Amino acid sequence: MMTSAGRINDLGLERYTAVMPQQLLMIEDDRRLAAMVVDYLTHAGFNVAHAENAGEGLAWLEVHAADLVLLDLMLPDGDGLDVCRQMRTTSDVPVIMLTAKGDPTDRVVGLELGADDYLPKPFEPRELLARVRALLRRRGGALLKSDAATLCFGRLEIDAGARVALLDGNPCDLTARQFDLLYVLAERAGRVLTREQLMDFSKGEPLEAFDRSIDVHIARIRSVIEDDAKKPRRILTVRGAGYVFAKLQDA
C-alpha cells in the first residue's frame, strides 16, 4: 500500500539532484493516490504532472514532452487501454500501466497495445520508483551506447545509436522495451536466450512465477519485423528453452 506523504523522509529515500529533472506524467483519477505518488516521486528528483482523466492527459501530452507516463487502467472518461493506443500512434514514451484489476488478460492486452510495464494496485512506492528508474535507464541508453554499431540482417537494420529498427528502410513501431529486447536478441544472434536472460540483459525487473510479459513483447516484435508472425524467420522459439535470433534470414 502507499505510504503517506508525511512519512516519505522516514523511508530513507534518496534525493536526486539532476540538472534537468526528468518529466513524468501521471494519469490517475484517484486524487489521494496521485498526491502521494507525485509527492514521493518529486522527493526522488522528478518533475511530475498529474492529469485526472484521459482527456486531460492526452491534452497535456500534445503540448508537453514526457519522459515516462504512469497510466491508470480505469479512468472516468475512458479506458486506459484506449489512451495507450492513442499515445502509441504518435509517441514511444515509456508507459507503466497501473491497474486495480486482477485479471491478467488486462495486463497482457496493455502490453500488446504498447505499455512497457504494469504494476497492480495497491503497490509499494519503492517498487514504483524502482520500475520508473529501470525504464528510464533503458530509455536513456544504459543498455545501448550511442556509438554502438548498426546490426544488419538482410532487409532488417537495427541502429543502436538512433534506437530505431528499419525494415526495408521503414521505421518499425516498437516501444522502448521492445527495441531493447530486439537488440539483445540480434546482438546475440544464434544464441538461445531464456526469458530470465532476456530480462537480465535488457535491465528488466525479475520475472515472477508464470510471468508471460516477455512472450507478449516478443509477439509484438514479430508482428512488426516478420513477414508472417505466425511463421517467424527472424525470432525463433526454442521449445522449453527460450528464443533465438536467426543468423541467416532473408537477402
Side-chain angles (χ1 to χ4, degrees):
M1 296 177 65
M2 288 297 301
T3 304
S4 65
R7 290 188 55 209
I8 287 178
N9 290 334
D10 295 335
L11 295 175
L13 182 66
E14 292 183 58
R15 286 176 177 270
Y16 286 163
T17 56
V19 175
M20 294 193 61
Q22 290 169 299
Q23 178 67 59
L24 312 183
L25 170 64
M26 183 174 196
I27 307 177
E28 168 65 62
D29 64 319
D30 186 331
R31 293 183 180 181
R32 181 174 177 273
L33 173 63
M36 292 178 184
V37 170
V38 169
D39 196 22
Y40 191 89
L41 294 179
T42 299
H43 275 75
F46 297 103
N47 283 334
V48 189
H50 172 224
E52 293 188 2
N53 55 58
E56 287 184 9
L58 291 172
W60 190 94
L61 288 169
E62 288 182 359
V63 295
H64 300 89
D67 294 297
L68 184 144
V69 174
L70 302 172
L71 177 60
D72 186 24
L73 182 62
M74 304 281 290
L75 295 167
D77 60 340
D79 192 316
L81 297 176
D82 292 331
V83 175
C84 188
R85 184 186 296 109
Q86 292 183 56
M87 288 173 53
R88 283 293 172 251
T89 62
T90 59
S91 173
D92 66 346
V93 59
V95 174
I96 297 179
M97 189 161 282
L98 307 176
T99 172
K101 289 187 174 183
D103 188 353
T105 300
D106 292 304
R107 301 173 186 174
V108 171
V109 172
L111 293 170
E112 289 178 335
L113 291 177
D116 296 274
D117 200 357
Y118 62 82
L119 187 61
K121 301 176 184 178
F123 52 80
E124 289 286 345
R126 282 181 174 176
E127 181 177 4
L128 174 62
L129 178 59
R131 288 174 182 262
V132 167
R133 286 176 175 166
L135 270 179
L136 290 174
R137 280 198 302 271
R138 291 196 294 272
R139 180 69 170 182
L143 170 67
L144 308 176
K145 296 181 180 179
S146 60
D147 60 350
T150 297
L151 304 178
C152 298
F153 296 87
R155 296 153 49 216
L156 178 67
E157 297 182 15
I158 306 170
D159 187 336
R163 292 184 60 80
V164 63
L166 303 172
L167 184 62
D168 295 327
N170 299 312
C172 298
D173 182 17
L174 298 171
T175 68
R177 171 169 287 192
Q178 289 160 5
F179 179 84
D180 288 345
L181 287 172
L182 174 60
Y183 192 87
V184 164
L185 282 162
E187 190 179 36
R188 298 163 178 78
R191 175 181 170 185
V192 178
L193 298 178
T194 66
R195 294 178 180 83
E196 289 78 9
Q197 287 175 320
L198 285 171
M199 291 293 277
D200 181 57
F201 286 137
S202 62
K203 308 300 181 184
E205 297 300 317
L207 282 173
E208 299 177 359
F210 308 112
D211 190 332
R212 311 303 291 181
S213 61
I214 286 291
D215 299 331
V216 174
H217 284 308
I218 293 296
R220 171 58 185 160
I221 296 169
R222 281 173 169 166
S223 72
V224 174
I225 70 169
E226 300 281 3
D227 294 323
D228 184 350
K230 295 182 179 180
K231 299 179 180 179
R233 298 180 60 188
R234 302 184 189 282
I235 300 178
L236 308 179
T237 300
V238 180
R239 190 176 298 277
Y243 296 99
V244 60
F245 195 85
K247 286 185 175 181
L248 299 179
Q249 300 179 12
D250 46 23

